[in-house]
Amino acid sequence: MKKIFRACLFTVAMLTGYTTYAQQPAANTLREGKHNLTLQWVSWERPGKVMISKQKDGTYSVKGEQRDEKTGDFVTIDGALTVVSPKELTFNGTIRTQYSNVNQGKVCEKTGTYHFLAKGARKYWRLQEMDNCEGNNVVDYVDIYF
């Protein structure tokens, strides 16, 4: 009886195309929609938002900001993400940060190709080229959350 039951389950699975993997997203895909965005100078408690949308070429557009209404400090991001792996993204575009106590309050603009990694158990990808335009070992933690 058990053999017949297993054979029936196997037949149903084959006919419907169901596998245990069918429910899982492909390894090189991102969840489309709104994601949190933070820059440590602005706030980790009040994240901004980015919109991630899949493009026809397989990359993902990403655009959004986090802004402190009181101080005017901010981070903005606008460009394209390529999924290297679930924990690694390549970004091509522009990231702008401004914090009143860093870089003499001037905007730090980075345009080009950059890398985001999710290390360990983190639930976000962090910009790896994190040096602020000021130099002096000042870094910007720009994070995009899963």
Side-chain angles (χ1 to χ4, degrees), residues 10-18:
F10 176 75
T11 303
V12 169
M14 295 302 291
L15 291 174
T16 62
Y18 175 81

Side-chain angles (χ1 to χ4, degrees), residues 28-115:
N28 288 349
T29 62
L30 290 178
R31 179 181 59 82
E32 293 185 77
K34 288 185 180 179
H35 291 252
N36 287 341
L37 172 73
T38 59
L39 171 66
Q40 90 275 20
W41 308 117
V42 178
S43 171
W44 275 310
E45 289 78 33
R46 294 179 313 280
K49 298 291 182 194
V50 294
M51 181 60 79
I52 295 178
S53 304
K54 189 165 189 174
Q55 305 302 298
K56 290 181 182 179
D57 66 359
T59 64
Y60 292 82
S61 67
V62 59
K63 185 172 184 168
E65 69 177 26
Q66 178 190 28
R67 192 170 296 271
D68 185 322
E69 298 299 327
K70 293 177 185 174
T71 65
D73 299 331
F74 67 86
V75 57
T76 65
I77 187 168
D78 188 1
L81 293 168
T82 301
V83 180
V84 177
S85 75
K87 294 207 171 224
E88 183 178 358
L89 308 174
T90 300
F91 170 78
N92 190 358
T94 301
I95 300 170
R96 299 174 74 227
T97 61
Q98 181 179 21
Y99 178 63
S100 53
N101 294 328
V102 172
N103 196 33
Q104 299 173 350
K106 297 177 190 168
V107 173
C108 179
E109 183 172 304
K110 297 177 182 183
T111 299
T113 301
Y114 300 96
H115 305 88

